[in-house]
Amino acid sequence: MTQGSSGRSAVARGVDTGLDRPVLLAVPLALFAVVEVMARGAGPGTDFVYGVLLALGTTLPLLLLRGQVLVAATTVTVACLTSMQSDPMVLTVAGFAAQLIVLYGLGLSAGRPLALLLILPYLVFALADTSEAARRYAVLIAVGSAGLAATGSDRRARTNAAALTATEQIMADTLVEHAARGERARIARELHDVVAHHISMIAVQAETARLTTPGMPDAGAKRLLDIGDTARAALTEMRRLLGVLREDSGVRAPQRRPQPGLTQLNELLDEARDASGTFARLIVSGQVAPLDPGIELTAYRIVQEALTNIRRHARGAAVDVELHYADDVLRLRIRDNGPGPPASPSSPGHGLRGMRERALTVGGELRTGPAPGGGFLVEATLPIPQEEGT
């Protein structure tokens, strides 16, 4: 609907522009026609008034070209034919020019069929038993009007085609831009979930090794401290870059690793235990069945990001990861016994936003907040397609 409306608007603008100048000729041509009637020597009287009225009838309708092209063309044609039937003929040169102009405008705005319909009376007039001068004028008007009407019609077709092409290009560019934005958002989530997860593990492992290794030399402890500081600085820089990426910077990142699923959750929890020495357990209930890869990947990434946030904000806290398989949904809960959310929470970071976006992409929802009895709770409900739940 939008595309068609834009195309029609562009055509209308092209027609208006093409008829601006002919409209400005209306008054000069009318004055010229009246002067021509006077120059023919007609004195005051009925014939003079009749000639002036016909002169004005063949020229002043040009004023209607921009809004009422068909009315203007019909009026001028009737006035010209009436002028040619008079004895003597009172058609003026200005009226002749106005006839050509209005038929060009008719072809420009309405196409050839209507223009040809108004040319037909001149062909009939040329074959009728009229004066030689009237027949010559009729032939000249018919031939000239046909050529100008065809020119106007061709210009109208070109304007229409150009407007349609421009509208299609705008629509295509909009679709490409929309797809690019979605792809950049997906890349940002993948980059944050995968790379940030491993960098945070480096920081935690370096800090844990520095604090738990007995008899470590000062130089070794300093190196481990530097590694942790570097990893944390890398996480800060990555968050800044992710903000830029989310603002459509155009960054591209190819994806080559196989997508993980729920069968890799135990490995993910093992990594969390090894990195921080925390207690983490996986609780599964319901009838376990393979799910759509997109749902499994979404659930895996949500757990991964939740564990990363726990290591960052509640180091050492115990974690329960619960999966409940129902007929139509997969329910996911990640709970820790840490200090819970801060008293004055700031705006949510990329992690919580990414988890929420992931849940929405598969038609699910995600809730976060303080857990009953203390700690932090992440709950996600992901719908299972009917064929996957049976």
Side-chain angles (χ1 to χ4, degrees), residues 262 282-289 291 321-327 329-333 384:
L262 295 178
L282 177 64
I283 303 172
V284 181
S285 60
Q287 184 177 356
V288 179
L291 303 180
V321 177
E322 301 180 30
L323 290 178
H324 177 70
Y325 290 82
D327 291 337
V329 295
L330 173 69
R331 294 186 176 90
L332 181 64
R333 299 175 81 248
I384 300 175

Side-chain angles (χ1 to χ4, degrees), residues 224-244:
L224 289 174
L225 181 62
D226 291 341
I227 292 173
D229 291 341
T230 301
R232 284 186 286 272
L235 283 173
T236 301
E237 181 65 16
M238 177 172 292
R239 283 192 290 269
R240 185 187 69 81
L241 292 176
L242 285 172
V244 175

Side-chain angles (χ1 to χ4, degrees), residues 65-339:
L65 272 181
R66 292 196 61 182
Q68 301 290 335
V69 181
L70 182 59
V71 173
T74 303
T75 304
V76 171
T77 301
V78 171
C80 286
L81 289 171
T82 304
S83 300
M84 293 170 61
Q85 289 175 347
S86 300
D87 188 20
M89 187 180 66
V90 294
L91 178 64
T92 62
V93 175
F96 176 83
Q99 178 70 88
L100 298 181
I101 291 172
V102 293
L103 287 177
Y104 167 77
L106 189 61
L108 181 63
S109 63
R112 296 183 186 181
L114 286 177
L116 294 177
L117 186 63
L118 292 182
I119 293 172
L120 184 61
Y122 286 103
L123 297 177
V124 175
F125 194 88
L127 298 176
D129 185 15
T130 57
S131 65
E132 186 67 23
R135 285 198 297 270
R136 284 200 301 268
Y137 267 100
V139 172
L140 289 174
I141 290 176
V143 174
S145 296
L148 289 174
T151 301
S153 179
D154 290 342
R155 180 177 175 180
R156 175 176 180 268
R158 289 194 302 270
T159 302
N160 192 7
L164 184 60
T165 300
T167 303
E168 290 175 346
Q169 184 62 44
I170 291 173
M171 293 294 293
D173 292 343
T174 301
L175 292 175
V176 169
E177 180 62 21
H178 179 73
R181 287 175 182 270
E183 181 66 10
R184 284 192 286 267
R186 186 190 68 81
I187 292 172
R189 290 195 301 269
E190 293 294 327
L191 184 61
H192 180 272
D193 292 347
V194 176
V195 181
H197 167 71
H198 292 298
I199 294 178
S200 65
M201 287 186 60
I202 292 173
V204 172
Q205 288 173 340
E207 189 70 16
T208 302
R210 184 177 68 85
L211 297 175
T212 60
T213 303
M216 177 175 291
D218 292 342
K222 185 178 183 305
R223 291 293 180 89
L224 289 174
L225 181 62
D226 291 341
I227 292 173
D229 291 341
T230 301
R232 284 186 286 272
L235 283 173
T236 301
E237 181 65 16
M238 177 172 292
R239 283 192 290 269
R240 185 187 69 81
L241 292 176
L242 285 172
V244 175
L245 184 58
R246 287 181 181 273
E247 291 298 325
D248 298 336
S249 64
V251 176
R252 291 288 189 270
Q255 179 179 332
R256 296 188 177 90
R257 296 183 56 187
Q259 298 287 11
L262 295 178
T263 56
Q264 283 80 40
L265 281 184
N266 279 319
E267 298 175 9
L268 190 63
L269 293 177
D270 289 340
E271 291 179 4
R273 298 187 193 100
D274 295 340
S276 58
T278 187
F279 176 78
R281 63 178 178 176
L282 177 64
I283 303 172
V284 181
S285 60
Q287 184 177 356
V288 179
L291 303 180
D292 181 86
I295 295 177
E296 292 208 7
L297 174 62
T298 297
Y300 180 92
R301 294 302 190 202
I302 290 174
V303 174
Q304 184 182 51
E305 180 58 38
L307 294 176
T308 301
N309 288 340
I310 292 170
R311 287 196 300 271
R312 186 179 303 145
H313 303 293
R315 183 178 302 174
V319 184
D320 281 344
V321 177
E322 301 180 30
L323 290 178
H324 177 70
Y325 290 82
D327 291 337
D328 55 350
V329 295
L330 173 69
R331 294 186 176 90
L332 181 64
R333 299 175 81 248
I334 305 99
R335 175 177 176 173
D336 66 75
N337 62 353

